[in-house]
Amino acid sequence: MSDTATAQPRTTGVGLPVPATPPARAYGPVTRTDFVRYQGASGDMNPIHHDEVFARAAGFPSPFSVGMWQASLLGTYATDWLGGPNVRDFRIRFLAQVWPGDVLTFEGVPLRTYVLESEDGREGRVDIELTCRRQTGDTAVTAWATFVLPLDASVGDATPEAGEQPETTEEQG
Amino acid sequence: MANPDAQGVTGAPFRLDVERGKIREFALATGAADAAYLREENPVVQPTFLTTTFFWQGEDSNPWSAVELDQQRGLHAEQQYTFFGEPPRAGTRLTCQSRIGEIYTKVGRRGGEMTFAVMYTDFHDETGRLVARAKLTGVETARPPVTGDATQDGASA
């Protein structure tokens, strides 16, 4: 299926500095308004996600969320962490439905870092795994993503910025 | 039951204009805290933004119906977006085309045959460069999904 089958990029496992993993992000209790807003933004107007009568007629207790909504929340959790322009791959697996009133928890963990060498040059990469869990403990969505780690900037990022004060004890008076 | 002859069916090319307002709307609907999505003149799209093909893809450009998955048992199993460089920015005019990929069966964890079908959508920019590819995997379960079953294999397609 690939258009770039001729030159396979080479990857070399290398320990690269990764921006600190953000704390788990909680969202909710989720509402029908959340679903509708996402449906409007995405263009997926399947009534099963907002029409109570339709959802019940289909055998569900209520409308349930669009899987792509919680997947997209995982996406922005990841871009807030590693930078929107750096994303190169985002693969989502849908596992369980999300219902109005659910409280979701979004978490991520780096899996590995490496250098990718291709015709375009060398590029640092990090693969991460992302999870969206319901308050019941069920995993609703798992995603695997790849982000670029800027090789040059990564050194600069590790040092405090000029003007940033080291932590000191509070001054009195 | 899926139609195995659907493999290779290709839709007509369609256009998707990447718009700043749409990126902003998508950021607000998906909890983005990174202000770049809201403040930049030409922000990049979010990892899942290309799902907005919903607004651009017509019947002639969407070959998915050729797979003929049973609506009652059809679920969205996986979705993938691959970017061949930085994701497209607001102001980019994309030319897109969808095609049906592999169709295959597997035995589910609780028995019963599940049928999977894949659709690829390629996104090219104005220079003709392939900038992104979407991969949709749909599944038709052996039985209709059970209401409230937390261990089901997917969310509604």
Side-chain angles (χ1 to χ4, degrees):
Chain A
M1 300 313 301
S2 175
D3 288 352
T4 54
T6 44
Q8 286 295 328
R10 270 193 318 138
T11 64
T12 311
V14 178
L16 296 170
V18 179
T21 305
R25 180 182 286 179
Y27 195 102
V30 308
T31 66
R32 289 162 178 78
T33 303
D34 289 324
F35 307 164
V36 168
R37 186 165 62 168
Y38 175 76
Q39 289 200 274
S42 71
D44 174 0
M45 291 311 295
N46 187 338
I48 200 92
H49 304 303
H50 61 261
D51 186 327
E52 204 81 26
V53 175
F54 183 95
R56 287 176 190 274
F60 296 100
S62 79
F64 54 92
S65 174
V66 192
M68 280 298 291
W69 176 58
Q70 48 267 20
S72 297
L73 284 161
L74 271 183
T76 55
Y77 171 84
T79 54
D80 290 345
W81 171 17
L82 295 165
N86 294 327
V87 68
R88 293 294 179 271
D89 199 70
F90 198 80
R91 181 163 68 92
I92 302 149
R93 184 171 296 165
F94 302 105
L95 296 166
Q97 288 160 329
V98 167
W99 300 90
D102 279 357
V103 176
L104 305 178
T105 303
F106 300 91
E107 286 179 282
V109 60
L111 297 178
R112 66 183 192 121
T113 60
Y114 51 99
V115 170
L116 184 82
E117 284 173 84
S118 69
E119 289 169 335
D120 300 330
R122 298 173 77 242
E123 204 168 61
R125 296 278 181 115
V126 59
D127 290 345
I128 62 171
E129 183 173 273
L130 300 153
T131 312
C132 166
R133 285 192 183 80
R134 301 172 63 222
Q135 72 286 352
T136 56
D138 294 338
T139 300
V141 178
T142 303
W144 297 271
T146 300
F147 282 75
V148 170
L149 290 174
L151 285 173
D152 297 328
S154 61
V155 178
D157 284 347
T159 55
E161 285 178 32
E164 191 174 314
Q165 295 300 315
E167 273 188 60
T168 55
T169 51
E170 270 185 59
E171 284 182 27
Q172 299 294 322
Chain B
M1 190 60 209
N3 172 17
D5 295 334
Q7 190 164 338
V9 174
T10 300
F14 63 101
R15 177 171 151 184
L16 191 163
D17 291 351
V18 182
E19 296 159 336
R20 182 176 183 234
K22 196 70 203 165
I23 291 171
R24 185 183 183 86
E25 184 186 8
F26 204 85
L28 294 174
T30 59
D34 186 345
Y37 288 122
L38 307 179
R39 290 193 191 144
E40 283 188 7
E41 279 299 315
N42 300 105
V44 295
V45 300
Q46 293 87 354
T48 57
F49 178 90
L50 294 175
T51 190
T52 58
T53 49
F54 276 112
F55 287 104
W56 300 86
Q57 199 163 22
E59 241 172 65
D60 66 328
S61 55
N62 189 346
W64 183 246
S65 58
V67 177
E68 297 170 21
L69 283 193
D70 184 335
Q71 290 291 324
Q72 293 298 312
R73 297 183 290 152
L75 298 167
H76 195 180
E78 285 201 17
Q79 181 69 43
Q80 183 173 13
Y81 295 98
T82 304
F83 299 98
F84 305 99
E86 195 180 80
R89 289 184 176 272
T92 308
R93 179 187 295 181
L94 297 172
T95 300
C96 327
Q97 191 163 25
S98 297
R99 66 181 184 278
I100 304 301
E102 52 271 30
I103 297 173
Y104 55 97
T105 58
K106 267 190 199 173
V107 176
R109 277 170 296 181
R110 287 164 295 161
E113 191 173 81
M114 302 193 295
T115 304
F116 291 84
V118 172
M119 182 168 82
Y120 295 95
T121 303
D122 283 352
F123 301 82
H124 290 86
D125 68 11
E126 299 93 326
T127 69
R129 191 174 74 85
L130 178 68
V131 294
R133 175 172 290 156
K135 179 184 179 186
L136 178 160
T137 305
V139 61
E140 184 182 283
T141 55
R143 292 171 300 150
V146 180
T147 300
D149 182 349
T151 61
Q152 72 173 73
D153 300 291
S156 176

